[in-house]
C-alpha cells in the first residue's frame, strides 16, 4: 500500500466494538455455507479487509480468533472452490481474510464499512471520492507501460544502488491519453503509486550510502514541484467522515446484500455478469482471458460462466476452476431434429441460470467469451432502465428490415439490430429469456430464409439464427434498446476519435503489419493446460510508425487486445505452478526444432499453419527481467567465434615474430656458440617445431 494521508481512527468513526474497515465484496463465503461452517454467528460476517482501524481492547479479543479461524479455513480444503470462497484460483490463499471476518463475527464485532478510503490502482475512482490508501495488489497500466508486483517477487531492487522500477509516462503525456476526467484521474493515481515507490527507493539508496544517481529527466521530475503537487497529503472528505461516524454496521450490511451502497442507493444497483462457454480448450483460453480482464476492468458485481457440457464431456473436463461456474446441459444437438447448432447454448444457458439460481442483482450484463474488458460496463453509465435495455449495434442484421422480421415477430418495427453487449434489468430478462430461446429455434428451422439477402449471413448457413432470436424475441415484448456505439470495438477496426471503448470483441481476424490473429485458427489447440503456452506475440507498439493517427490507434488497440490475452495465459500458468525449466525447454523446441517464428510477429502466410501447432512458451518474469530474442543470441555467438579466431591469429603472429628474432640472434652469435649449437641443434629444432605444432593444434581446438 501507499499511504496518501493520515488515518485517524476517531475521524473515521472507529469506536470500541465498531472497527472501521474497507469493503472486500468478493468474500462471498460470508453469504453461504462457508460462514455457517466456521462461525456460530454467520449473520455477523462482514466482507472487509485491507484497512483496519480497531480499538486495542477489541484487537486483544479478536487476535487469537483471527489466527485460529485462519488455520481452520485453510484446513477446510473441501471448500476452497471459487463458488464457496470467491477465490478465482481455488487455492485457499485468502483463508486469512476469512479468518479475520469469521473471527470478528465470532466475538461480535460489527464493522463500519467504507469504499472510499482505499482504491486499487487501475480502478477508476468514484466521482468526488479521494482515497487515502493505494493498494497495488493487482497489475495496473498507463498506456503501454504496466506494473505488477508479482513480476518482482524475487527482485533485489532494494539492494541494488540507484535501480528503480521502469518509469511510467509523464503527466503531460497522460493528459493527452484520456478525455474522461474520472478515468484520467485514475491514471494519475497509477502514476502517483509507482512514482512514490521509486521515490522511496531513491531515499533508501541514499541512506545506505549509494552514490548520487546520474541525472535523468525522470529523476528531475521526481524532485520537481509538479511531482510534489501530485503527491501532496490527501485528507478524507468531511462527508465521508460524517457518514462513517453515523453509520450503523447492520444497515450497511443489509444495503450491501441487496446490491446498493449505503450512500448511493439510487445510482448503484447490483450487477451480475454472465458469459456462455462450452467444455473445450477453445473456450477455456477465452475464459482465461475474459476473467483476467474482468478483474482488471473494475466491473462491479459478481461473474458467472455458463458452462454447457454433455455428461460425457464433464467426466474428462479439466477447466472447472477457471471461473465461477453454473453448469448447463449441452444443447449443441437438437433433441428432436438432430440439428447441430452450438450457438443455441447461449439463450438456453441464460434461461437455465434464471430458473436454477436465486440472484439479488438488479441488472444482468451478458457478454461473449471472446471479449476482453477494458473498463466497467454499468447501467447507470449507459442509461439502462427497466423496459429499456442497452446493447451495441450489429448493423449486418438486415433481417430486421425485411421479410424475415415480418415472418418471425408481430412487431417488426420494434426489431433492433443489436448484440454483443447486453445490459438488461432482471425483470425484463425473466420475461424475455424463453422468447430468446424460442425465436432462435424458430429462425434456425427456417432454412428457406438462410440466404444472405434475408439474413446478411455471408455463408447462408443459419449460424446467426441466435442473434435474430434475440432481436425478434425483444421485439415481441416491445423492448427497445439504447444502442451505444461507444462500448465495443472489434480489433482491426478503426476507432472513432475520442471514444474509450470498454470491450474488445476479437470475433474476426485482425492484423498488425505481417502479424495476424484469428481465434478460429486456435479452435483445437490447448494453450491452457500446456505449461507456458501462449499465442504468437504481436509487434512491439514502439515499432508501429504509421503517420495516419487513426491507423496508429487501431494497431495499438489490436496489440493491447492480444497482449492482455497472453498476459492472462502467463498468469494462469504461473498460478498453476508450472515448472520454470519448461519455459526454456519449450522455447528451444519451438524455435530450434520446428519453425522459428519472429518475435515481432513477422510470420508469413505459408508457415502460419505450422506456427499454430507450436505453442510459444511464456516468459517467467521473476527469472529475468527481459527475454533476449534468439536472433540476438545467435548473432552474439557468431561474434564470440570471430573474436576467438582473431585472438588465435594474433597469438600465432606473436609466436612467429619471437622465433624469427631468436634465429637472428643465433646467427649473430654463431662464432661464439658453434660447438654448443652443433651439440644441441637437433634437439632445439625438434622442440621448437613440436611446440609450434602443439600451439596450432590447441588453437584449432579452441576455434572448434
Amino acid at each position: 500500500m501507499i499511504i496518501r494521508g493520515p488515518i485517524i481512527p476517531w475521524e473515521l468513526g472507529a469506536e470500541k466494538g465498531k472497527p472501521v474497515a474497507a469493503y472486500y465484496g468478493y468474500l462471498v463465503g460470508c453469504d453461504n455455507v462457508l460462514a455457517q461452517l466456521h462461525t456460530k454467528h454467520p449473520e455477523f460476517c462482514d466482507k472487509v479487509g485491507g484497512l483496519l482501524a480497531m480499538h486495542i481492547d477489541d484487537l486483544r479479543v479478536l487476535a487469537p480468533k483471527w489466527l485460529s479461524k485462519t488455520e481452520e479455513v485453510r484446513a477446510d480444503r473441501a471448500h476452497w472452490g471459487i463458488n464457496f470462497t470467491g477465490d478465482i484460483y481455488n487455492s485457499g490463499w485468502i483463508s486469512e481474510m476469512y479468518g479475520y471476518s469469521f473471527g470478528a463475527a465470532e466475538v461480535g464485532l460489527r464493522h463500519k464499512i467504507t469504499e472510499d478510503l482505499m482504491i486499487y490502482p487501475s480502478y477508476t475512482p468514484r466521482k468526488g471520492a479521494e482515497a487515502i490508501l493505494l493498494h497495488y495488489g493487482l497489475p495496473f497500466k498507463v498506456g503501454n507501460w504496466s506494473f505488477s508486483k508479482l513480476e518482482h517477487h524475487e527482485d533485489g531492487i532494494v539492494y541494488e544502488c540507484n535501480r528503480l522500477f521502469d518509469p511510467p509516462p509523464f503527466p503531460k503525456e497522460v493528459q493527452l491519453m484520456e478525455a474522461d476526467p474520472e478515468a484520467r484521474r485514475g491514471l494519475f493515481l497509477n502514476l502517483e503509486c509507482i512514482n512514490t515507490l521509486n521515490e522511496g527507493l531513491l531515499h533508501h539508496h541514499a541512506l545506505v550510502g549509494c552514490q548520487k544517481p546520474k541525472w535523468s529527466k525522470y529523476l528531475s521530475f521526481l524532485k520537481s514541484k509538479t511531482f510534489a503537487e501530485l503527491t501532496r497529503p490527501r485528507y478524507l472528505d468531511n462527508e465521508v467522515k460524517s457518514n462513517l461516524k453515523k453509520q450503523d454496521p447492520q444497515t450497511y450490511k443489509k444495503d450491501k446484500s441487496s446490491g446498493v451502497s449505503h450512500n448511493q442507493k439510487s445510482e448503484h444497483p447490483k450487477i451480475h455478469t454472465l458469459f456462455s462457454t462450452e467444455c473445450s480448450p477453445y473456450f477455456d483460453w477465452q475464459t482465461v482471458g475474459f476473467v483476467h480482464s474482468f478483474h482488471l476492468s473494475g466491473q462491479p458485481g459478481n461473474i458467472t460462466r455458463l458452462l454447457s457440457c454433455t455428461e460425457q464431456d464433464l467426466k474428462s473436463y479439466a477447466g472447472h476452476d477457471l471461473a465461477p461456474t453454473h453448469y448447463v446441459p449441452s444443447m449443441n444437438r437438437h433433441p428432436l431434429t438432430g440439428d447441430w447448432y452450438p450457438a443455441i447454448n447461449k439463450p438456453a444457458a441464460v434461461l437455465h441460470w434464471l430458473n436454477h439460481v436465486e440472484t439479488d442483482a438488479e441488472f444482468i450484463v451478458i457478454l461473449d467469451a471472446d471479449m476482453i474488458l477494458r473498463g466497467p460496463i454499468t447501467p447507470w453509465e449507459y442509461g439502462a432502465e427497466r423496459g429499456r435495455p442497452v446493447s451495441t449495434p450489429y448493423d449486418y442484421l438486415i433481417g430486421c428490415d425485411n421479410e424475415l422480421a415480418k415472418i418471425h415477430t408481430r412487431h417488426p418495427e420494434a426489431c433492433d439490430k443489436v448484440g454483443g453487449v447486453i445490459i438488461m434489468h432482471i425483470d425484463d430478462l425473466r420475461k424475455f429469456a424463453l422468447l430468446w430461446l424460442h425465436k432462435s429455434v424458430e429462425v434456425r428451422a427456417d432454412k428457406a430464409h438462410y440466404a444472405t439477402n434475408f439474413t446478411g449471413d455471408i455463408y447462408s448457413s443459419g449460424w446467426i439464427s441466435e442473434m435474430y432470436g434475440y432481436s425478434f424475441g425483444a421485439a415481441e415484448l416491445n423492448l427497445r434498446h439504447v444502442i451505444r456505439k461507444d462500448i465495443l470495438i472489434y480489433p482491426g477496426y478503426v476507432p472513432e476519435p475520442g471514444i474509450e471503448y470498454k470491450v474488445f470483441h476479437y470475433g474476426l481476424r485482425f492484423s498488425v503489419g505481417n502479424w495476424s490473429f484469428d481465434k478460429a485458427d486456435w479452435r483445437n489447440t490447448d494453450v491452457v493446460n500446456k505449461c507456458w503456452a501462449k499465442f504468437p506475440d504481436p509487434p512491439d507498439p514502439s515499432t508501429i510508425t504509421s503517420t495516419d493517427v487513426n491507423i496508429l490507434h487501431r494497431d495499438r488497440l489490436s496489440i493491447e487486445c492480444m497482449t492482455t490475452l497472453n498476459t492472462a495465459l502467463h498468469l494462469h500458468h504461473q498460478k498453476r505452478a508450472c515448472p520454470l525449466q519448461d519455459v526454456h525447454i519449450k522455447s528451444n523446441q519451438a524455435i530450434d526444432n520446428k519453425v522459428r517464428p519472429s518475435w515481432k510477429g513477422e510470420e508469413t502466410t505459408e508457415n502460419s499453419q505450422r506456427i499454430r501447432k507450436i505453442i510459444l512458451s511464456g516468459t517467467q518474469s521473476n527469472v529475468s527481467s527481459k527475454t533476449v530474442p534468439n536472433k540476438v543470441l545467435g548473432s552474439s555467438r557468431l561474434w564470440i567465434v570471430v573474436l576467438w579466431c582473431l585472438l588465435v591469429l594474433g597469438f600465432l603472429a606473436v609466436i612467429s615474430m619471437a622465433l624469427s628474432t631468436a634465429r637472428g640472434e643465433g646467427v649473430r652469435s654463431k662464432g661464439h656458440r658453434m660447438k654448443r649449437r652443433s651439440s644441441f641443434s637437433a634437439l632445439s629444432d625438434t622442440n621448437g617445431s613440436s611446440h609450434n605444432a602443439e600451439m596450432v593444434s590447441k588453437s584449432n581446438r579452441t576455434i572448434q
Side-chain angles (χ1 to χ4, degrees):
M1 292 182 176
I2 297 294
I3 303 174
R4 307 177 74 220
I7 303 168
I8 303 171
W10 52 90
E11 287 191 359
L12 302 179
E15 306 171 46
K16 188 172 181 179
K18 295 180 181 179
V20 171
Y23 182 61
Y24 272 13
Y26 59 84
L27 297 180
V28 297
C30 276
D31 300 327
N32 62 36
V33 68
L34 198 67
Q36 296 166 17
L37 289 171
H38 294 290
T39 173
K40 293 176 288 185
H41 302 289
E43 71 279 7
F44 291 168
C45 184
D46 291 327
K47 301 177 193 174
V48 294
L51 161 71
L52 306 169
M54 184 179 294
H55 193 281
I56 185 65
D57 293 345
D58 294 333
L59 186 59
R60 292 188 196 283
V61 175
L62 168 67
K65 286 288 184 183
W66 185 357
L67 177 59
S68 65
K69 289 295 178 182
T70 297
E71 293 174 334
E72 187 180 304
V73 176
R74 179 71 177 170
D76 184 10
R77 291 176 177 264
H79 293 92
W80 279 11
I82 190 169
N83 55 321
F84 294 113
T85 63
D87 178 3
I88 60 173
Y89 303 112
N90 298 333
S91 64
W93 186 255
I94 59 176
S95 300
E96 173 273 321
M97 299 181 189
Y98 279 112
Y100 176 85
S101 290
F102 295 158
E106 200 76 350
V107 298
L109 288 177
R110 305 307 307 278
H111 295 79
K112 294 184 178 183
I113 305 172
T114 176
E115 297 178 70
D116 293 326
L117 287 175
M118 183 185 84
I119 190 170
Y120 287 88
S122 79
Y123 282 25
T124 299
R126 187 176 64 81
K127 189 173 182 178
E130 189 70 84
I132 57 175
L133 282 174
L134 300 177
H135 191 182
Y136 55 93
L138 301 174
F140 59 97
K141 64 180 182 177
V142 179
N144 294 323
W145 175 93
S146 64
F147 177 83
S148 172
K149 71 170 189 177
L150 285 176
E151 294 178 359
H152 300 277
H153 199 270
E154 302 294 331
D155 197 334
I157 193 168
V158 168
Y159 312 106
E160 298 179 32
C161 276
N162 298 323
R163 184 170 155 242
L164 306 177
F165 296 114
D166 290 342
F170 290 101
K172 287 183 179 179
E173 300 172 56
V174 175
Q175 288 281 6
L176 302 175
M177 285 182 190
E178 179 58 61
D180 180 76
E182 296 308 316
R184 186 166 61 242
R185 193 157 68 96
L187 293 179
F188 275 111
L189 288 176
N190 297 352
L191 295 185
E192 181 181 341
C193 180
I194 191 66
N195 287 333
T196 304
L197 274 171
N198 276 338
E199 185 186 32
L201 286 169
L202 281 174
H203 283 308
H204 172 76
H205 291 154
L207 285 172
V208 297
C210 292
Q211 291 183 355
K212 187 176 180 180
K214 294 180 180 179
W215 182 91
S216 70
K217 185 178 178 182
Y218 180 60
L219 289 181
S220 179
F221 166 73
L222 291 182
K223 297 177 182 179
S224 68
K225 290 183 179 179
T226 302
F227 178 66
E229 174 62 23
L230 288 173
T231 55
R232 73 185 191 281
R234 295 314 200 268
Y235 299 93
L236 203 60
D237 183 80
N238 287 329
E239 182 183 351
V240 174
K241 290 191 285 189
S242 175
N243 288 334
L244 276 169
K245 288 178 181 179
K246 297 180 210 174
Q247 188 186 116
D248 179 352
Q250 294 184 1
T251 303
Y252 189 89
K253 182 178 177 69
K254 182 179 179 182
D255 289 344
K256 290 307 293 186
S257 68
S258 63
V260 183
S261 176
H262 184 65
N263 298 313
Q264 302 163 330
K265 294 183 181 180
S266 61
E267 58 176 337
H268 284 83
K270 191 169 184 180
I271 303 171
H272 198 112
T273 301
L274 303 176
F275 70 106
S276 175
T277 73
E278 299 171 33
C279 286
S280 69
Y282 179 60
F283 278 104
D284 281 357
W285 62 255
Q286 293 177 42
T287 297
V288 169
F290 184 92
V291 172
H292 170 70
S293 69
F294 174 88
H295 290 292
L296 289 181
S297 69
Q299 175 70 0
N302 294 324
I303 181 175
T304 297
R305 170 180 60 164
L306 306 177
L307 185 62
S308 300
C309 295
T310 64
E311 290 184 9
Q312 189 63 34
D313 287 338
L314 274 177
K315 292 177 182 178
S316 59
Y317 183 62
H320 297 281
D321 61 343
L322 297 179
T325 301
H326 175 73
Y327 295 90
V328 183
S330 175
M331 290 284 289
N332 281 349
R333 191 172 298 283
H334 195 286
L336 300 178
T337 66
D339 178 39
W340 179 262
Y341 185 50
I344 201 71
N345 280 315
K346 185 176 179 180
V350 170
L351 182 63
H352 191 278
W353 181 79
L354 287 170
N355 289 334
H356 290 81
V357 173
E358 289 187 13
T359 180
D360 58 354
E362 190 173 341
F363 282 90
I364 307 300
V365 177
I366 302 174
L367 302 171
D368 290 334
D370 58 344
M371 290 180 175
I372 295 293
L373 276 69
R374 305 177 73 228
I377 304 167
T378 60
W380 52 88
E381 181 177 357
Y382 294 110
E385 301 173 7
R386 182 181 297 174
R388 190 79 164 143
V390 168
S391 192
T392 50
Y394 272 12
D395 293 333
Y396 58 84
L397 297 179
I398 60 174
C400 275
D401 300 328
N402 62 34
E403 182 181 335
L404 199 66
K406 295 175 183 177
I407 293 173
H408 293 291
T409 174
R410 295 170 296 172
H411 304 289
E413 72 285 354
C415 184
D416 291 329
K417 293 183 272 189
V418 294
V421 174
I422 301 164
I423 310 173
M424 187 176 289
H425 194 279
I426 186 67
D427 294 344
D428 295 331
L429 188 60
R430 292 190 192 281
K431 297 173 188 175
F432 163 71
L434 185 57
L435 275 171
W436 182 6
L437 176 61
H438 172 68
K439 289 295 178 182
S440 297
V441 173
E442 185 181 301
V443 176
R444 177 69 178 174
D446 184 9
K447 296 191 177 186
H449 292 91
Y450 274 11
T452 305
N453 59 313
F454 291 115
T455 63
D457 178 3
I458 59 173
Y459 303 109
S460 302
S461 64
W463 186 256
I464 61 176
S465 300
E466 174 272 317
M467 299 180 189
Y468 278 112
Y470 177 89
S471 291
F472 294 159
E476 282 292 280
L477 295 176
N478 269 309
L479 280 177
R480 303 308 305 269
H481 294 76
V482 176
I483 303 176
R484 299 292 297 251
K485 297 181 179 180
D486 56 347
I487 301 177
L488 177 147
I489 188 171
Y490 285 87
Y493 281 30
V494 176
E496 291 289 333
I499 294 180
E500 190 64 31
Y501 297 97
K502 297 294 183 69
V503 177
F504 289 135
H505 191 183
Y506 55 91
L508 304 173
R509 180 182 292 275
F510 59 99
S511 60
V512 179
N514 293 325
W515 175 92
S516 67
F517 179 80
D518 188 338
K519 68 170 188 174
D521 294 341
W522 301 84
R523 185 174 291 276
N524 299 312
T525 306
D526 189 353
V527 294
V528 170
N529 296 307
K530 188 172 183 179
C531 271
W532 306 117
K534 66 171 186 175
F535 302 110
D537 287 321
D540 189 311
S542 64
T543 65
I544 308 302
T545 57
S546 175
T547 56
D548 188 320
V549 175
N550 293 327
I551 299 301
L552 190 65
H553 194 189
R554 177 200 68 186
D555 289 349
R556 285 179 174 170
L557 290 177
S558 298
I559 291 169
E560 180 188 336
C561 177
M562 199 66 232
T563 302
T564 304
L565 199 52
N566 272 340
T567 300
L569 286 168
H570 177 76
L571 292 173
H572 166 76
H573 296 311
Q574 199 173 58
K575 292 300 179 184
R576 288 208 167 174
C578 283
L580 298 187
Q581 59 267 30
D582 281 6
V583 178
H584 308 293
I585 293 170
K586 286 177 170 48
S587 180
N588 292 336
Q589 288 175 345
I591 294 171
D592 296 330
N593 299 338
K594 305 231 180 163
V595 180
R596 186 186 293 272
S598 168
W599 288 85
K600 298 298 181 186
E602 296 170 354
E603 67 269 24
T604 60
T605 304
E606 295 84 49
N607 68 14
S608 63
Q609 292 296 328
R610 296 174 65 196
I611 290 174
R612 283 196 291 273
K613 296 179 182 177
I614 302 169
I615 309 303
L616 298 179
S617 65
T619 304
Q620 179 68 317
S621 56
N622 58 4
V623 176
S624 64
S625 61
K626 292 184 180 178
T627 302
V628 182
N630 285 271
K631 291 181 180 178
V632 176
L633 289 173
S635 61
S636 299
R637 295 191 190 102
L638 179 62
W639 277 108
I640 291 171
V641 171
V642 171
L643 183 61
W644 270 107
C645 291
L646 291 173
L647 288 171
V648 169
L649 290 173
F651 181 77
L652 290 176
V654 171
I655 293 297
S656 177
M657 290 175 65
L659 290 174
S660 297
T661 302
R663 289 194 186 98
E665 290 176 353
V667 171
R668 285 193 296 272
S669 59
K670 183 176 179 181
H672 300 284
R673 293 179 291 137
M674 184 62 72
K675 289 183 180 181
R676 189 168 182 168
R677 186 176 186 280
S678 300
S679 303
F680 295 101
S681 62
L683 180 61
S684 176
D685 288 346
T686 303
N687 287 345
S689 60
S690 174
H691 175 71
N692 289 341
E694 182 180 350
M695 292 304 299
V696 171
S697 175
K698 286 182 178 179
S699 300
N700 289 336
R701 284 200 300 272
T702 302
I703 294 171
Q704 291 171 0

